[in-house]
Amino acid sequence: MYTRPFPGRPRPGVALRALALPLAALLALSACSSGSATSSPGSAARAELAALPKATPSALAPYYGQKLTWRSCGVPGFECATMKAPLDYAHPGAGDVRLAVSRKKATGPGKRLGSLLVNPGGPGASAVGYLQAYAGVGYPAQVRARYDMVAVDPRGVARSEPVECLDGRAMDAYTQTDTTPDDRRETGELVDTFKEFAEACGAHTPKLLRHVSTVEAARDMDILRAALGDRRLSYVGASYGTLLGATYAGLFPKRVGRLVLDGALDPSLSARRLNLEQTGGFETAFRSFAKDCVRRRDCPLGTKVNEVGPRLKAFFTRLDQHPIPTGDADGRKLGEALATTGVIAAMYDESTWEQLREALTAAIKDKDGAGLLALSDSYYERDPDGRYANLMSANAAVNCLDLPPAFATPEQVEKALPSFEKASPVFGEGLAWAALNCAYWPVKPAGEPHRIEAKGAAPIVVVGTTRDPATPYRWARSLSRQLASARLLTYVGDGHTAYGRGSSCIDSTINAYLLHGTPPAAKKRCS
């Protein structure tokens, strides 16, 4: 599964804020990195993430004692540095991984509160890019005044020794692969595509691929905390970033400062359960879009709510047989796969619904797929020159290492199709098949689903949005019940994540926590 809050790289028409990739959706983006330590695909975990010893092992002392050398980034107001972490924490002498770090110092006035680490999710989204494009300039002024704003690209992501798989042309083919196979031949083609992607990842970064887990990334964050000179870690994580933050709290509960986990993941669920529930989350968001669409004169999908889903599904089916032109310089046409991705991309933020209506109108009425292709390209982080960020590669690498695969065989997918299609008649089939990708991963999973309690941690704020497409609200409720010191803050509304999305209630509550350490009242709800 895939989540991606990402304010730092806005999609067309979307404000700079957190975005999360849909779990199973879209080929490389599959089983979300959290889960439940159980062999049953659908049950919740009983195992708990254990805290690490308080004392730093002597073998890690050189990493914890390193001094960061800050230099200009070429971005006004920001500094950059390179931090070392052990490639393998079990064998610290086996080599290093170099991680890109950036910061913007507190601007004042007011007493400096330390560093505030931020992460936009993914897994695979660049935290450094997010900091420099959004958090470091767009977070509330009073927060930026008191904190040094800091980000580190997790291992395998963006500037931190990125996982590499396919080149641009191969990625173009990959993103256009049919994820709703109609027969055995098409099923075989989909399986071959997943295998080719996995083999390419294994060939290009074989050692790193074994060491990009969420646990390792969370341990890297503690080394960064020490290198920054902070006694405790203060952190805002969105979407998958909530899993990173919760994992840090579970490993280092006594080093937790002020943690905000916005758009929470539930680490106690299996990959299959996560994919299924996220599928339902996208259906919830789509129903909200449908209700809004039929109230507009330019809705291309009908005038009644119950018409919207079937008409969109019929449109996807037509594209499966007859892709339409897009005017793309590389000759790409809009088929079912790219169109579905474009629609899903617009579910993350209700401010994109107008753009989606226009794109669907052009595609359905004028057979012009350019608008939906643009939404899809922004989702996949493909630039106009045909180059892709390593988002999809890193996403698969982390997810497939963190949890056992949602499905091991095509037959398992076929058996699960009714439940996925029930969860979402429009998106269910494609999301179920997309969750097969980790079955062919060249590295065995290192993690299992588990609960995170973080006993002894300072108060942690967990934020959930009631109609969040990528991280369903029930996940925030579940994580808040697991974390011993959590306070659940609820945003009643649409879109993925809540902080910085226009609710003065949410923003003022989180700001008060970050600035004064005051957690929200129990069961506080905002709209």
Side-chain angles (χ1 to χ4, degrees):
M1 143 196 133
Y2 185 41
T3 64
R4 99 180 207 181
F6 194 46
R9 259 176 335 257
R11 299 159 304 177
V14 179
L16 294 178
R17 53 178 70 109
L19 316 172
L21 304 173
L23 59 109
L26 321 179
L27 295 175
L29 319 180
S30 158
C32 177
S33 301
S34 57
S36 73
T38 171
S39 58
S40 170
S43 57
R46 293 190 178 91
E48 180 188 344
L49 180 66
L52 291 171
K54 294 180 181 179
T56 301
S58 58
L60 296 179
Y63 296 103
Y64 273 84
Q66 67 186 295
K67 302 297 182 183
L68 300 180
T69 302
W70 296 100
R71 61 188 184 279
S72 172
C73 295
V75 181
F78 292 88
E79 299 175 304
C80 289
T82 300
M83 184 186 85
K84 292 182 180 180
L87 175 66
D88 183 352
Y89 276 92
H91 303 92
D96 300 334
V97 59
R98 294 176 178 269
L99 306 177
V101 183
S102 183
R103 77 175 176 186
K104 186 178 184 184
K105 288 187 176 181
T107 57
K111 182 180 178 182
R112 179 181 173 276
L113 294 174
S115 304
L116 181 64
L117 190 64
V118 296
N119 182 280
S126 171
V128 170
Y130 172 73
L131 174 75
Q132 295 176 354
Y134 174 66
V137 293
Y139 264 38
Q142 62 267 43
V143 173
R144 291 183 284 114
R146 307 285 300 281
Y147 284 99
D148 291 346
M149 301 294 295
V150 180
V152 55
D153 279 348
R155 50 177 64 204
V157 173
R159 299 163 176 84
S160 293
E161 301 194 17
V163 172
E164 301 290 352
C165 298
L166 302 175
D167 62 20
R169 288 192 176 276
M171 281 298 297
D172 279 347
Y174 185 73
T175 59
Q176 295 176 73
T177 300
D178 184 1
T179 54
T180 57
D182 299 318
D183 51 37
R184 291 296 174 191
R185 178 185 63 81
E186 290 188 354
T187 299
E189 290 174 353
L190 179 59
V191 168
D192 288 344
T193 297
F194 284 142
K195 288 180 178 179
E196 290 167 6
F197 183 87
E199 289 169 2
C201 296
H204 290 136
T205 47
K207 290 184 179 180
L208 183 62
L209 220 57
R210 292 174 169 80
H211 297 289
V212 292
S213 69
T214 296
V215 167
E216 288 163 314
R219 297 190 69 172
D220 296 342
M221 287 163 54
D222 197 54
I223 292 177
L224 177 58
R225 174 202 57 77
L228 292 169
D230 291 328
R231 189 170 63 90
R232 294 175 181 267
L233 180 79
S234 291
Y235 173 84
V236 177
S239 198
Y240 165 77
T242 66
L243 181 64
L244 264 179
T247 300
Y248 180 89
L251 295 173
F252 307 103
K254 296 298 185 180
R255 297 174 191 170
V256 167
R258 298 170 187 175
L259 261 61
V260 177
L261 308 179
D262 185 10
L265 295 177
D266 182 356
S268 74
L269 300 179
S270 68
R272 188 182 301 184
R273 179 79 171 271
L274 285 162
N275 278 269
L276 180 61
E277 292 191 3
Q278 195 186 58
T279 298
F282 278 100
E283 182 66 21
T284 297
F286 179 72
R287 286 197 297 267
S288 289
F289 164 75
K291 291 176 183 177
D292 180 78
C293 188
V294 298
R295 292 197 294 263
R296 313 283 180 169
R297 295 182 63 182
D298 63 344
C299 182
L301 296 171
T303 58
K304 299 178 181 178
V305 172
N306 61 4
E307 295 175 341
V308 175
R311 289 190 179 189
L312 182 61
K313 184 68 173 177
F315 170 62
F316 288 158
T317 300
R318 293 196 301 273
L319 290 178
D320 189 30
Q321 300 299 320
H322 304 289
I324 60 176
T326 63
D328 177 59
D330 295 315
R332 291 177 300 157
K333 291 188 175 183
L334 185 78
E336 181 181 15
L338 292 176
T340 302
T341 304
V343 173
I344 282 178
M347 293 299 101
Y348 282 91
D349 192 313
E350 63 271 26
S351 69
T352 321
W353 291 354
E354 180 180 1
Q355 182 183 356
L356 177 59
R357 292 196 307 273
E358 294 172 354
L360 284 169
T361 297
I364 293 170
K365 295 184 177 180
D366 302 326
K367 290 186 169 48
D368 177 3
L372 284 173
L373 181 65
L375 282 167
S376 177
D377 282 351
S378 67
Y379 185 90
Y380 284 126
E381 296 191 355
R382 181 192 191 271
D383 69 23
D385 295 324
R387 294 187 298 264
Y388 288 77
N390 91 310
L391 173 66
M392 293 177 66
S393 300
N395 179 265
V398 175
N399 284 331
C400 296
L401 187 62
D402 270 1
L403 284 180
F407 300 109
T409 66
E411 290 73 24
Q412 289 183 0
V413 178
E414 290 171 349
K415 186 176 180 180
L417 279 176
S419 61
F420 275 76
E421 291 178 313
K422 181 180 179 180
S424 176
V426 177
F427 305 118
E429 181 183 7
L431 294 179
W433 281 107
L436 183 62
N437 75 314
C438 286
Y440 310 104
W441 202 243
V443 175
K444 291 183 178 180
E448 286 281 350
H450 52 270
R451 293 175 54 81
I452 301 178
E453 296 187 9
K455 295 176 182 176
I460 297 170
V461 176
V462 176
V463 188
T465 298
T466 56
R467 295 186 294 277
D468 190 315
T471 52
Y473 178 61
R474 69 177 65 183
W475 294 356
R477 288 189 299 179
S478 177
L479 181 61
S480 69
R481 288 194 293 263
Q482 293 172 46
L483 293 168
S485 63
R487 292 286 183 89
L488 176 63
L489 175 61
T490 298
Y491 174 57
V492 181
D494 296 294
H496 181 47
T497 72
Y499 188 42
R501 299 191 70 249
S503 168
S504 59
C505 174
I506 289 289
D507 292 353
S508 62
T509 301
I510 292 176
N511 292 344
Y513 170 70
L514 291 175
L515 295 171
H516 308 296
T518 307
K523 299 181 180 180
K524 179 165 182 145
R525 297 171 73 86
C526 296
S527 58

